Structure formats: structure tokens, C-alpha cells
């Protein structure tokens, strides 16, 4: 029975499945490693300075990930840059809905008391970008080493960035 569970988990991970149960299991495993100091999250060099700048300008920052809220908090709370949880106003995972479903973005907007057209969603997955746009959310596709390649049509259709420093956002003040 244990081997069957292990095999199933490995199979789901090999397919990069985004199931809530798998992400929660990964979160439990990460908790043990992060709290013991055996792991630290790394962010691209441009991420933390950009988020600090946005926060100083009065903007709110939320994380929406296929990783569980617990896993998100572990990543931001145990990073090579220290505890970054103070930079994040809230966390969302697939409990609110899948990232490829436009209704998920409407639910997030409602949850934070914001119009969808006042939200910018950053992603590296064009199916997620399409769902967010369908909900009237602004989107930028982040192109990073190791991400899936984009088609020529996707490259011309979406706003692409390679660094958070390329974003020029209006102050919320």
C-alpha cells in the first residue's frame, strides 16, 4: 500500500500535476525541510527589489500559486533574502480555483475587494494568462530560463517581460 502511494505521488510529480492534494503533501514535506533550515527559497535577483518598490508605492502584492498556501508561506518565510512574508498581503492556491479557470481570478478579486481590471497577474503559463485575461485581469508573461517555450503567436499576443524591473506600475496613492 505504501509503495502504491509513493508510486502515485512520483507519477503525479513526473507529469507536473497541480492537484491540491499533491501540493499539500509537498507543503508538508517542505515544512520539515524549511523549518529545520535544510532548505531556503531562492528568488531571481530582480524579484525582491521590485516587490519592495511596489510596496513602498502603496501597492498590494498577492501570491496565487498552484503550490499550497502553506508552501508559499514557507518559501517566502525562509528565503536566502530572509523572511519576506511582510511583503505579501495574501496568498491563494487552487482551493480558490484552478489557475486556468477565469472564475478563479474573479473570486480572488472579490476576496481582496478589488476590481479585476485593477489587478496585474504575472505568470509563465499562457493558459493561465488567457484565463486571467478572460476575467479582465491585466497580464504579463514572465520569460525565465527553464520555463516552457512560447509559440510565435504567444510571443506577439502577450506582454512579455524577462525581469520584474521591466514593469512600470502606477502608484496606488
Amino acid at each position: 500500500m505504501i509503495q502504491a502511494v509513493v508510486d502515485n505521488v512520483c507519477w503525479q510529480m513526473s507529469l507536473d500535476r497541480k492537484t491540491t492534494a499533491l501540493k499539500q503533501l509537498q507543503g508538508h514535506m517542505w515544512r520539515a525541510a524549511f523549518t529545520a533550515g535544510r532548505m531556503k527559497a531562492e528568488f531571481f535577483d530582480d524579484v525582491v527589489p521590485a516587490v519592495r518598490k511596489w510596496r513602498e508605492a502603496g501597492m498590494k502584492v498577492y501570491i496565487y500559486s498552484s503550490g499550497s498556501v502553506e508552501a508559499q508561506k514557507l518559501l517566502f518565510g525562509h528565503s536566502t533574502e530572509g523572511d519576506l512574508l511582510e511583503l505579501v498581503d495574501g496568498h491563494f492556491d487552487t482551493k480558490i480555483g484552478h489557475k486556468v479557470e477565469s472564475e478563479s481570478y474573479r473570486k480572488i478579486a472579490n476576496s481582496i475587494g478589488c476590481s479585476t481590471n485593477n489587478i496585474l497577474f504575472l505568470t509563465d503559463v499562457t493558459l493561465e494568462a488567457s484565463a486571467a485575461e478572460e476575467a479582465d485581469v491585466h497580464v504579463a508573461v514572465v520569460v525565465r530560463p527553464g520555463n516552457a517555450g512560447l509559440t510565435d503567436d504567444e510571443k506577439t499576443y502577450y506582454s512579455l517581460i524577462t525581469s520584474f524591473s521591466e514593469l512600470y506600475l502606477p502608484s496606488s496613492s
Side-chain angles (χ1 to χ4, degrees):
M1 179 64 102
I2 292 173
Q3 189 59 50
V5 171
V6 169
D7 290 347
N8 181 271
V9 168
C10 290
W11 171 76
Q12 287 189 59
M13 289 171 53
S14 72
L15 297 175
D16 196 26
R17 302 287 294 268
K18 306 294 186 189
T19 63
T20 300
L22 177 63
K23 294 302 180 177
Q24 287 177 330
L25 173 62
Q26 290 171 332
H28 294 305
M29 294 168 61
W30 286 8
R31 182 185 339 106
F34 278 115
T35 56
R38 291 193 303 260
M39 279 178 44
K40 292 211 179 285
E42 293 183 31
F43 294 91
F44 286 97
D45 291 341
D46 58 290
V47 172
V48 175
V51 173
R52 287 190 195 285
K53 181 178 172 184
W54 301 338
R55 294 293 307 215
E56 289 167 8
M59 291 178 222
K60 294 192 178 285
V61 175
Y62 295 88
I63 306 300
Y64 180 28
S65 173
S66 56
S68 69
V69 167
E70 179 185 14
Q72 295 172 42
K73 289 181 177 179
L74 287 167
L75 288 168
F76 283 85
H78 299 85
S79 83
T80 55
E81 303 270 337
D83 185 344
L84 302 175
L85 286 170
E86 67 182 18
L87 298 178
V88 181
D89 292 284
H91 303 266
F92 297 93
D93 60 19
T94 55
K95 287 181 183 173
I96 198 126
H98 292 285
K99 293 172 73 179
V100 295
E101 298 170 354
S102 60
E103 185 60 23
S104 303
Y105 301 89
R106 292 184 194 98
K107 287 179 182 177
I108 289 171
N110 186 55
S111 173
I112 63 176
C114 183
S115 171
T116 55
N117 66 1
N118 285 326
I119 295 174
L120 171 64
F121 178 61
L122 304 176
T123 184
D124 62 342
V125 178
T126 56
L127 287 174
E128 296 171 2
S130 178
E133 280 189 336
E134 188 178 313
D136 199 28
V137 169
H138 299 278
V139 172
V141 173
V142 184
V143 179
R144 299 281 197 182
N147 288 0
L150 301 174
T151 67
D152 288 340
D153 286 345
E154 290 169 335
K155 289 177 187 174
T156 57
Y157 179 78
Y158 290 106
S159 296
L160 306 179
I161 62 168
T162 58
S163 169
F164 283 18
S165 63
E166 295 172 35
L167 294 169
Y168 298 97
L169 306 176
S171 170
S172 69
S173 325

